[in-house]
Amino acid sequence: MSRRALVAGLSLATAITATTMPVAAKELATTFPSTKFPLGTPAVPTKTQKAVGQGIDLYNVRAGSATQGYSVTVLMPSGRDYGKRETADAKAAEVEAAGQTPSVQQMTRPGVADSPAQEIFMVRVGLWSLQDKKKAEETVKALKDAGIKAKVDYLGDDGVETTGPWDMSVLMIDAKKFAGSYGASLGTSVAKRETTSAMAKTAGALAAINGGFFNIHASQALRGDPLGASVVAGKLLSEPVAGRAAIVLRGRKATITELKSTITARSQDGQRLPVNGVNRPAAVDELVLYTEEWGAKTPAVEGADAVLDANGKVVALRTPGAAVPAGQRVLHGTGVAADWLREHALEAGTVQVDTKLIDVRSGRRIALTPDLNVVAGGVGLVRNGRVKIMAKRDGHDSVNMILRRHPRTLVGTTRNGSLILATVDGRKPGETIGANMVEAAELMRWLGAVQAINLDGGGSTAMVVGNKVVNKPSDGNERAVGDALLVLPKK
């Protein structure tokens, strides 16, 4: 296939105008909240502002201070760092027998819209300042010598009460002033991961953030596959996870909603079969559509490939494990789906692929026109101005995802249609702690979002402005990701 970039709205790079200045709350009243920071001890945050382009402002926001240190967390038989009360009590007895002084701590994983609260119990040993991490490490070693598994934990990561600190980068894009457009990129192929900055540079973007979750369980060469909807320039390159939140981009308009799709293969003899996925590994008895943007071979497994031209004509019926020819598509079937292809995808015949993308909230079909781009989220955070965290539906209702603090990448829209892109850095004890799901929702409401979603976070969190990463990725450098949301200049 062509190595062209899978980017919507390609344009020449445009120079940005950037001025750094301290910004008073009064000056920010129309674009940035003048109220106190919503997390920790209420206080006015420290802010700096840069003009990125017409109607686009970048803010660095700092709030809070470090007051927490380290403890040692004892691992349960399951390998987790928490469990039920009786399990925690039994583990505490082991620790005490080893000559250490344990404490059993109760925590509550907050309830969210689709999952009730959960009580958990942890066994901890000791408490040390930020400067005394080595003493905590020595305790872990002593426990290990006694046959007890444990780890060092920074208490700011717990997700319970804290004073911070927080370090955020926020892009506010005024719907009335912004003259450019929004786009999406999967890089040079769906299968391959690339950095947000590389995708932004190829597109000539003014700014960009990392997109949604990608398939870390696939082989290394296929991990760029987005876990959810991806549309680039009107072409569906990854199917939605039914009901998962996404941001729908059309020109200068951004909308947050939930999506689903129906994709059907229809042979010339009138037989139909649902297409289970687009550009992803196939499971047993599945029919998966691969486009030339996939950038990898179809799975080399028992099954069948039907190669289709742009008009749906069956060019060849072949053994799986080959690339998608340029300008063509491949329907790949396993099990009963392979049998269907052998019976109905006759060479020189036709198989049409009918695709419908549906807005779940409105029930309306979304037209796959060249100006449409979609980036999938992971968890809905704010709906109609209220905190509404939909985590269970997306498989994120765990203690780690809801309660723990991590770096976050967040997207929101305001009442007048303006777009807010935000990153919250984390995993840097004493510098910035990130946010849990509830805190992320409150931050987006504070910034003015009436609809907001959580994108991929952790080491994936990245914001690029003018070809420069402006936040501080927790891995120490920028991680390659599946896709990116782009802010493009006026053509």
Side-chain angles (χ1 to χ4, degrees), residues 306-353:
V307 182
L308 311 178
D309 69 11
N311 297 315
K313 180 181 178 180
V314 181
V315 176
L317 191 64
R318 70 184 192 187
T319 300
V324 181
Q328 298 180 349
R329 297 168 293 166
V330 174
L331 278 172
H332 168 80
T334 61
V336 296
D339 294 340
W340 188 90
L341 287 175
R342 294 187 187 104
E343 184 175 355
H344 301 290
L346 305 178
E347 197 160 337
T350 61
V351 178
Q352 300 298 331
V353 178

Side-chain angles (χ1 to χ4, degrees), residues 31-33 168 170-172 247 256 361 381-388 410-422 440-454:
T31 56
F32 200 91
M168 296 181 64
V170 181
L171 271 170
M172 290 192 146
I247 182 159
I256 290 173
R361 294 192 189 183
L381 297 175
V382 179
R383 182 164 178 173
N384 299 330
R386 297 178 180 272
V387 173
K388 188 173 183 180
L410 311 169
V411 179
T413 55
T414 68
R415 292 193 185 283
N416 74 349
S418 295
L419 186 65
I420 301 169
L421 309 179
E442 291 294 356
L443 284 170
M444 292 308 287
R445 289 181 71 243
W446 175 67
L447 290 169
V450 293
Q451 315 290 340
I453 59 175
N454 178 84

